[in-house]
Amino acid sequence: MDKIEHIGIAVESLERSNELFTKLFGEPPYKEEGVASESVKTSFFKSGPNKIELLEATHPDSPIARFIAKKGEGVHHIAFAVDDIKAEMKRLEAEGFQLLNTEPKEGADNKWVAFLHPKTTNGVLIELCQDRG
Ligand code: ZN
């Protein structure tokens, strides 16, 4: 696993949170993108070398909607960059981590992504992401 690629924050309203984070960072999001398979809308901000992803549910059954219903808005996941997502998924599974998807999925911002179940990672949802190139 390499550096933290981004931190994902679950928000109720992307519109309101985009305004808030634009004030915080002094710059608007560099990208907004929907991920239909996850029923989310996302926006991405840069602050120096750091990247923040905001996620709003587009459906009441979306994992983001369920997260907010349970825990409220806030940090949702930490994403780590990997060079070879399939190899890393295999390695982590062998180490006893539970993967939420068995194959890499197409994520936002041109990435292949996979998630580790928070129950095997001290309550923190971990995302692996590899550039789709
Ligand atoms: Zn993410």
Side-chain angles (χ1 to χ4, degrees):
M1 257 194 265
D2 199 13
K3 63 164 189 170
I4 290 179
E5 213 285 327
H6 64 271
I7 294 175
I9 299 176
V11 302
E12 275 169 11
S13 160
L14 207 56
E15 202 186 330
R16 281 201 310 269
S17 297
N18 277 346
E19 275 179 34
L20 183 71
F21 279 78
T22 296
K23 281 185 208 160
L24 184 69
F25 295 133
E27 269 182 71
Y30 68 90
K31 183 185 262 194
E32 286 192 47
E33 193 181 346
V35 184
S37 61
E38 299 288 313
S39 302
V40 292
K41 283 194 298 192
T42 66
S43 62
F44 287 90
F45 288 84
K46 269 190 183 131
S47 168
N50 304 304
K51 217 166 101 178
I52 297 290
E53 173 185 29
L54 303 183
L55 305 110
E56 178 198 319
T58 56
H59 191 276
D61 285 336
S62 155
I64 294 299
R66 292 200 303 266
F67 176 90
I68 289 177
K70 227 162 108 181
K71 300 187 172 180
E73 294 181 299
V75 174
H76 176 258
H77 63 269
I78 300 177
F80 291 90
V82 298
D83 288 332
D84 183 344
I85 194 166
K86 284 191 174 176
E88 203 61 5
M89 288 168 75
K90 226 172 160 179
R91 182 183 74 80
L92 293 167
E93 199 167 26
E95 292 285 5
F97 294 99
Q98 188 185 326
L99 294 163
L100 287 175
N101 44 301
T102 51
E103 290 293 324
K105 297 194 285 191
E106 284 187 23
D109 208 20
N110 201 35
K111 305 285 186 205
W112 289 112
V113 301
F115 291 92
L116 301 181
H117 198 296
K119 80 178 179 199
T120 57
T121 48
N122 286 151
V124 180
L125 180 62
I126 304 280
E127 175 183 348
L128 309 175
C129 56
Q130 179 188 338
D131 277 327
R132 268 191 268 155

